[in-house]
Amino acid sequence: MKQRVLIVNKFYYPRGGDCVCTLNLERLLADRGHDVAVYSMRYPENLPSRWSGYFASPVDFSGSAKEKLRAAARTMGWGGIRSSFAGILADFKPDVVHLQNIHSYLSPRLAVMARQAGARVVWTLHDFKPVCPSYGCLRDGKPCEECFDSKTAVVRHRCMKGSLAGSVVAWLEAMRWNRRQLERNVDLFICPSEFMRGKMEKAGFDPAKLRVNCNFVGFDKMERFKTLEAPDRSSRGVYYCYVGRLSEEKGVESLLEAASKFPAVLKIAGDGPLLESLSGRYSDNNNIEFLGRRNPDEVVNLLRGARFSVMPSICYENNPLGVIESLCAGTPVVGAEIGGIPELIVPEKTGLTFESGNVDALLKALDAAYKADWDYGAIRGDALERFSADRHYRELLDIYNTHTGPSRRR
């Protein structure tokens, strides 16, 4: 019998990678014959859902003082989520509650309630929030793991956007929903990368509670990748590309510094807080072209026409869809040796890696990738299987059906 699955994520529209994965999962399970329900936060941009009547009231961390207090209360598990979540648990009666990105705007309180209702609880970790109160394991532009041993570091360094108040709230949330609380109420944590699994274990989480299941490419994009063959070198443009957010942690400043010295065109698709400053700084450089945000079809075409793509992050990337989608287009990736990026790339076959943040190393990698004779068809064929929905679903069913006892670590 197919399990009844309740999927939980704080937003229900394609806001970021976690939301895209949530929407893909909902369709995957429904297409495979599962009864699926969704619980989220009410938000103007949300997609239509038959379950929206159960959704939690919105909170705003950047609003008035009263709104900030309501948001802070939500991190503790208060603020209107108990009754609404209890309602969908009672009416839908899920066999499995599959948590996605729930911290702050919803709450790990939902895991406690799901366990009390008799559901199996699994949680896909899209960021490092269970081990880093500020989500990203990044401080002053460099990886930081200080909170693995002492959560007070988030307050000492004011890691939440430089705000003391915000950092205190993050610390309180981490204390309330500590490792023991999370392990007690979650059957298995799904880590999209081996890198994340390793960091969770390093921070003290029970290895028996951790399973790896790589993300998969969404159905519409996958159909495009399957329909369109990977062009060979002679049919590709004389450019390489970056697709993603223009923000500090993504390493785009290092990429642009290298690109300004490299004699080929870099096309950048995406927006973010650095778009205006970077586009202004490099406006006179003919080798750098800012395309802004592009729709999914335009991204697919951009990737298919590129010699290679670049993932220059300086943060602990988990399982970046930018790398996965590039490979599915048959386009090799030059990726930083950080986070889960290297485990997606087979050196010399599907891409190259370089020391994160090292402009000289990146320049050498760009040159080698541009000159290499890549087997674009083989890259595409391997990726279409490796990142398929079928592969993800097989591993997900095993996770849904694996029964674990209480955590060995207390």
Side-chain angles (χ1 to χ4, degrees):
M1 180 180 295
K2 301 282 188 178
Q3 295 101 329
R4 297 169 61 82
V5 183
L6 172 58
I7 302 172
V8 183
N9 193 61
K10 53 191 178 185
F11 299 107
Y12 188 63
Y13 70 100
R15 177 186 176 111
D18 60 307
C19 303
V20 170
C21 289
T22 296
L23 297 171
N24 288 341
L25 176 64
E26 180 186 13
R27 180 171 171 181
L28 172 69
L29 293 174
D31 286 354
R32 267 48 174 197
H34 295 265
D35 287 331
V36 184
V38 176
Y39 181 79
S40 186
M41 182 182 70
R42 294 199 300 272
Y43 208 75
E45 287 85 355
N46 279 353
L47 299 175
S49 171
R50 58 178 291 211
W51 305 101
S52 59
Y54 294 97
F55 286 8
S57 58
V59 292
D60 185 358
F61 286 88
S62 61
S64 66
K66 183 178 180 180
E67 290 171 331
K68 289 177 180 177
L69 285 174
R70 288 186 64 247
R74 178 66 61 81
T75 68
M76 298 295 107
W78 307 324
I81 60 171
R82 296 192 186 193
S83 59
S84 60
F85 194 62
I88 197 169
L89 286 173
D91 293 346
F92 183 64
K93 298 179 175 59
D95 301 305
V96 177
V97 172
H98 192 153
L99 307 175
Q100 301 285 321
N101 198 345
I102 63 167
H103 269 98
S104 301
Y105 288 89
L106 295 176
S107 169
R109 166 66 61 185
L110 305 184
V112 178
M113 295 176 65
R115 171 61 66 85
Q116 292 172 344
R120 178 168 175 74
V121 181
V122 300
W123 189 346
T124 296
L125 303 174
H126 295 285
D127 55 44
F128 295 89
K129 181 69 170 176
V131 299
C132 172
S134 64
Y135 293 90
C137 295
L138 189 71
R139 179 164 62 88
D140 297 330
K142 296 181 180 179
C144 174
E145 299 180 4
E146 196 171 336
C147 280
F148 287 18
D149 300 314
S150 173
K151 296 297 188 289
T152 58
V154 69
V155 178
R156 290 199 306 274
H157 302 301
R158 301 191 180 192
C159 294
M160 293 299 292
K161 301 180 180 179
S163 166
L164 177 60
S167 299
V168 169
V169 170
W171 171 72
L172 290 171
E173 184 181 18
M175 293 299 98
R176 176 66 184 90
W177 305 112
N178 57 48
R179 174 182 58 79
R180 292 183 179 182
Q181 279 280 2
L182 298 182
E183 287 186 330
R184 186 178 297 122
N185 293 287
V186 177
D187 290 280
L188 286 174
F189 297 93
I190 301 175
C191 303
S193 65
E194 287 287 352
F195 180 85
M196 169 161 274
R197 184 204 61 76
K199 293 305 178 185
M200 291 285 289
E201 185 174 346
K202 182 178 180 181
F205 277 77
D206 184 352
K209 289 272 187 178
L210 306 173
R211 294 285 293 272
V212 176
N213 191 9
C214 180
N215 291 324
F216 68 98
V217 175
F219 296 90
D220 293 337
K221 277 191 177 178
M222 181 58 85
E223 285 306 310
R224 289 276 291 164
F225 289 136
K226 287 182 176 179
T227 302
L228 301 170
E229 294 292 331
D232 59 22
R233 182 184 178 91
S234 64
S235 301
R236 290 182 177 250
V238 290
Y239 69 89
Y240 60 110
C241 69
Y242 168 78
V243 178
R245 181 172 169 79
L246 299 180
S247 54
E248 179 189 10
E249 73 277 5
K250 296 300 183 180
V252 289
E253 291 180 274
S254 295
L255 171 59
L256 289 172
E257 184 179 347
S260 67
K261 305 171 184 176
F262 187 66
V265 174
L266 168 65
K267 295 191 177 186
I268 300 174
D271 57 19
L274 297 182
L275 174 59
E276 184 175 350
S277 63
L278 292 177
S279 59
R281 189 187 312 171
Y282 291 97
S283 59
D284 294 332
N285 193 306
N286 294 328
N287 288 338
I288 299 173
E289 183 178 350
F290 291 88
L291 304 177
R293 180 181 288 273
R294 288 290 184 261
N295 65 43
D297 282 347
E298 289 172 328
V299 169
V300 169
N301 290 331
L302 178 69
L303 288 171
R304 291 183 66 249
R307 294 287 184 91
F308 58 90
S309 70
V310 188
M311 182 63 67
S313 299
I314 60 173
C315 67
Y316 283 169
E317 293 281 2
N318 182 7
N319 188 233
L321 287 172
V323 174
I324 292 172
E325 291 180 356
S326 180
L327 297 176
C328 287
T331 301
V333 179
V334 172
E337 293 169 351
I338 195 167
I341 295 174
E343 65 193 73
L344 296 173
I345 298 171
V346 181
E348 313 297 336
K349 291 187 178 180
T350 66
L352 299 171
T353 61
F354 66 95
E355 180 185 357
S356 176
N358 187 325
V359 175
D360 290 336
L362 175 52
L363 264 172
K364 291 178 181 178
L366 296 180
D367 184 61
Y370 201 82
K371 293 175 179 177
D373 186 18
W374 300 104
D375 188 339
Y376 295 105
I379 293 172
R380 170 183 174 274
D382 175 73
L384 291 180
E385 169 57 30
R386 185 181 178 191
F387 306 118
S388 70
D390 287 340
R391 190 275 315 158
H392 185 90
Y393 180 67
R394 290 193 299 269
E395 296 183 17
L396 187 62
L397 278 189
D398 185 53
I399 290 168
Y400 284 174
N401 293 318
T402 297
H403 295 281
T404 57
S407 173
R408 300 193 304 269
R409 299 186 178 185
R410 287 289 180 262

